[in-house]
Amino acid sequence: MAGRRVSFASMAADPVVDAPGVESTNDTPARWVPTANCLPNPRNPRDELGDLSDLASIKDRQLQSCLAVTPAAYLRLWPEDRQALGAGAQDVVIVNGNRRRAAAQLYGREQLLVVVDDSVAESKATLLRAALDENMARKDFDPIEEANAVLLIVAQYPTAKEAAEAEGWSQSWISHRKNLLKLHPELQRQVRAKARGEDGVSINVARRLGSVKGIEEMSLAEQTSELEQLLQADADAVAAKRAARVEAKAAAKTPAAAPAPQPAAVQQPAAPVARPAAEAVPSPTEPPAPAATVPEPAPRSPLPSPEPAPSADRFSAENSEPLPMPEQRAVAPSDEQPTATSQVELGSVDWHNVEELADAICRTLSADEAYRLADALANRLLTTGS
């Protein structure tokens, strides 16, 4: 029995019927017993049976049988309850179904169908567990009553570990219920109130409060102070999470700021092309030599000669790798006159070497100037060829 839920209806040899009157023999576990002979369980984990209006229909129809044991089986476990029980020879002790028994008395039902099974009283733990299982299935089961019932079952074993293994519980599950009973009775009352839907202390908070070291030795005022600190910590954590969510939403809605424009750095002109010693740049002590004049290009033939076939030593789209873009002068000079440096560079270029000429032009002119030069050359070619 320990550690397993039991279907009490399966213990009955006869089906549950709508009205009393079924004749039964002594060896049949299910039998009709006068309501007056059905005694309440002194070890019922529920202190109060609560509102019985949901069982008002039991006056006309019993939908579920009750589980009971004989007084002899019960008193073998708790002989000290003999006087309080006051059982007679025809009485039974209801283990599972005390609310149905109370409703039958309240609404005037004369007999109850009862499954009598003394194997439930094999030990204190089995009888207590049978009573606990019925109440744990009810959503309005008082958490303090549950905790008391669980620890009463655990007390029937040498250790809590053995109790957990036998009953199919985890030790942490037992500890959570034990923590509730460490609280002051006033705080336990608030836990019960919260479970009924009233203002009070939630079970989760109460269990955490019960896990505080030395909580059992604290007074009500000290436990209340610990509770306030715990609630404040929870409120701070909630506020921090809410602020983080708001900040994340605001960051998602705000577009990323564009980086501030950086001033264009003027590229230093490339090192001049090596020249013979006679054309070397004069020293600072000597007067500068006059700027070299740009030679006039060779006259263009009236008809362009056909392009020769690509070769390994001639540039073409077929036999060349992409060349890196030469450095461009970032800013055009303020005036339209070429500088001495540009004249020197262009004057030293082989005008028949297209790549070298393009490289020198790109180093000398800005991007806008290079594009304007390309447009001018294209227009000149179109005008001349037409």
Side-chain angles (χ1 to χ4, degrees), residues 44 83 115 168 231 234 279 296 329 356:
N44 185 28
Q83 185 174 358
V115 176
L231 294 176
D234 289 347
E279 298 180 8
E296 292 292 331
R329 183 166 58 84
E356 185 177 347

Side-chain angles (χ1 to χ4, degrees), residues 21 31 54 98 102 174 187 197 229 258 264 284 333 360:
R31 62 175 181 262
D54 59 318
N98 281 276
I174 296 174
L187 294 181
Q229 295 179 26

Side-chain angles (χ1 to χ4, degrees), residues 3-336:
R4 302 193 309 273
R5 287 184 178 270
V6 180
S7 174
F8 303 122
S10 65
M11 298 179 180
D14 299 331
V16 177
V17 295
D18 294 344
V22 177
E23 296 294 337
S24 60
T25 60
N26 292 334
D27 57 351
T28 301
R31 62 175 181 262
W32 289 102
V33 178
T35 303
N37 294 115
C38 297
L39 306 179
N41 177 16
R43 303 289 172 167
N44 185 28
R46 293 183 71 106
D47 296 334
E48 298 179 359
L49 297 179
D51 184 11
L52 299 175
S53 60
D54 59 318
L55 296 176
S57 61
I58 200 172
K59 178 180 179 180
D60 302 316
R61 174 175 297 184
Q62 181 181 355
L63 300 178
Q64 186 177 356
S65 61
C66 301
L67 175 66
V69 296
T70 62
Y74 178 89
L75 292 174
R76 279 198 299 268
L77 301 177
W78 289 283
E80 63 272 20
D81 291 349
R82 182 179 300 276
Q83 185 174 358
L85 191 62
Q90 303 300 320
D91 294 339
V92 294
V93 181
I94 302 297
V95 176
N96 196 308
N98 281 276
R99 293 185 79 249
R100 292 190 291 278
R101 184 204 66 82
Q105 285 186 330
L106 179 63
Y107 295 107
R109 185 178 182 89
E110 296 182 355
Q111 290 183 304
L112 287 173
L113 185 65
V114 178
V115 176
V116 181
D117 184 6
D118 282 350
S119 67
V120 177
E122 181 182 85
S123 67
K124 290 182 178 180
T126 56
L127 192 144
L128 293 171
R129 179 62 187 271
L132 175 64
D133 283 346
E134 178 193 33
N135 290 288
M136 287 182 66
R138 298 185 57 83
K139 64 181 180 181
D140 62 345
F141 189 30
D142 189 298
I144 301 300
E145 291 177 344
E146 180 195 34
N148 280 315
V150 168
L151 292 189
L152 187 58
I153 294 174
V154 172
Q156 309 309 315
Y157 294 89
T159 64
K161 181 179 180 180
E162 293 182 47
E165 293 175 352
E167 299 296 335
W169 299 329
S170 67
Q171 294 189 61
S172 61
W173 188 87
I174 296 174
S175 297
H176 287 163
R177 279 133 188 91
K178 184 178 180 180
N179 287 341
L180 294 179
L181 302 182
K182 295 179 181 179
L183 303 182
H184 190 276
E186 172 58 26
L187 294 181
Q188 292 183 17
R189 186 194 63 78
Q190 295 185 34
V191 173
R192 288 179 164 179
K194 186 68 173 182
R196 293 193 301 266
E198 305 170 5
D199 292 336
V201 180
S202 69
I203 296 176
N204 182 44
V205 172
R207 289 172 179 169
R208 291 161 56 199
L209 179 62
S211 65
V212 174
K213 186 176 180 180
I215 194 70
E216 288 180 287
E217 289 75 24
M218 295 184 186
S219 64
L220 174 60
E222 292 172 331
Q223 289 190 6
T224 303
S225 176
E226 291 287 341
L227 175 62
E228 292 174 353
Q229 295 179 26
L230 184 61
L231 294 176
Q232 184 61 46
D234 289 347
D236 293 342
V238 171
K241 290 182 180 179
R242 186 180 295 112
R245 286 196 298 267
V246 171
E247 184 178 352
K249 289 181 180 179
K253 293 180 180 179
T254 304
Q262 299 293 332
V266 179
Q267 297 286 347
Q268 296 295 331
V273 181
R275 292 170 295 186
E279 298 180 8
V281 179
S283 62
T285 58
E286 298 178 0
T293 59
V294 179
E296 292 292 331
R300 181 176 175 274
S301 302
L303 294 177
S305 58
E307 289 291 331
S311 62
D313 56 354
R314 180 178 177 82
F315 171 82
S316 69
E318 291 82 359
N319 67 359
S320 65
E321 294 294 332
L323 296 175
M325 186 67 182
E327 294 182 357
Q328 196 86 39
R329 183 166 58 84
V331 181
S334 58
D335 54 2
E336 297 296 330

